[in-house]
Amino acid sequence: MNRTLFDNALAAAAKIAAATPNQRSFVPWPEAMPFTARSPVAIPAIGEMQRHSGLANALTQPLQSALLALAPFVEWRQTYSEAEVGRDFLNRFGWFELAGPRDGYFQTDITRMTVGFWGPNLHYPWHSHEPEELYFVVSGTGIFEVAGQEPRTLQAGDTIFHAANQPHALTTDASGILTFVLWRGDGLADPPKMAG
Ligand code: ZN
């Protein structure tokens, strides 16, 4: 457990939020957040993330570096079963909660901050959740689909908003994607649900 690595990642994320109007208006950056140590959980995707997190930009590169340094020390989660998403997906996907009301490293009741990684050529099927969501691309690219909208290809620095219970999906191509995700609203501690 290296507390400094967590502080570095949070500080890098805070700098981006301060410079990104869509994030600033989505949720105010929480004031002092108490830290709780959590036991690391390793997943196969850590190696994939080191190799295929994709291109960052000048704004996002410090957070990409901080997250790659932090990755071996994190309590990774996968949420979905092999029956839902397949073995290849589980080998190359993972997320963790940096901050949130219950299961994060930093405690806050106003938002949930998660980091998600998907390797190249993966499809994250349609799913939804009650909280509103703002994705921010740290590095790499992905095609984001939202029910009722044209698909959008996003890269480092881009954001996309998902309304409460609005189904969405994500597909990567030759590059993986590393994302920083904010939630707000009711059901903050609940997991997403797959469509159907
Ligand atoms: Zn979502």
Side-chain angles (χ1 to χ4, degrees):
M1 227 298 297
N2 190 330
R3 169 71 192 271
T4 304
L5 295 175
F6 287 91
D7 288 340
N8 290 348
L10 188 71
K15 266 193 184 164
I16 288 175
T20 306
N22 284 350
Q23 285 194 29
R24 275 212 315 272
S25 60
F26 184 78
V27 69
W29 195 260
E31 297 295 329
M33 289 184 271
F35 181 84
T36 301
R38 311 181 70 88
S39 298
V41 173
I43 54 170
I46 294 172
E48 180 95 342
M49 180 173 155
Q50 307 291 350
R51 290 187 295 274
H52 294 296
S53 62
L55 287 179
N57 65 21
L59 174 66
T60 68
Q61 190 277 324
L63 180 57
Q64 181 193 37
S65 296
L67 293 175
L68 292 176
L70 180 60
F73 305 97
V74 156
E75 181 196 42
W76 286 99
R77 303 180 207 177
Q78 297 200 297
T79 305
Y80 305 109
S81 67
E82 186 169 346
E84 286 175 306
V85 294
R87 176 45 47 190
D88 180 49
F89 189 96
L90 292 180
N91 282 338
R92 302 191 295 119
F93 155 75
W95 67 276
F96 72 90
E97 184 168 331
L98 186 61
R102 194 182 67 196
D103 300 323
Y105 288 92
F106 296 95
Q107 203 279 328
T108 171
D109 290 327
I110 66 167
T111 187
R112 188 181 188 185
M113 303 179 188
T114 60
V115 172
F117 170 75
W118 289 260
N121 302 305
L122 285 183
H123 176 63
Y124 182 21
W126 291 93
H127 60 282
S128 63
H129 38 76
E130 186 177 9
E132 296 179 315
E133 176 173 70
L134 189 74
Y135 264 82
F136 176 86
V137 178
V138 179
S139 57
T141 59
I143 299 161
F144 286 76
E145 293 179 273
V146 179
Q149 298 176 14
E150 288 296 306
R152 286 175 58 199
T153 299
L154 303 187
Q155 57 187 5
D158 290 339
T159 62
I160 189 167
F161 172 77
H162 300 138
N165 299 309
Q166 184 176 40
H168 47 281
L170 167 64
T171 306
T172 56
D173 50 22
S175 169
I177 191 167
L178 183 60
T179 64
F180 179 76
V181 183
L182 294 169
W183 277 11
R184 70 180 181 195
D186 293 337
L188 270 190
D190 299 338
K193 294 181 287 287
M194 284 295 180

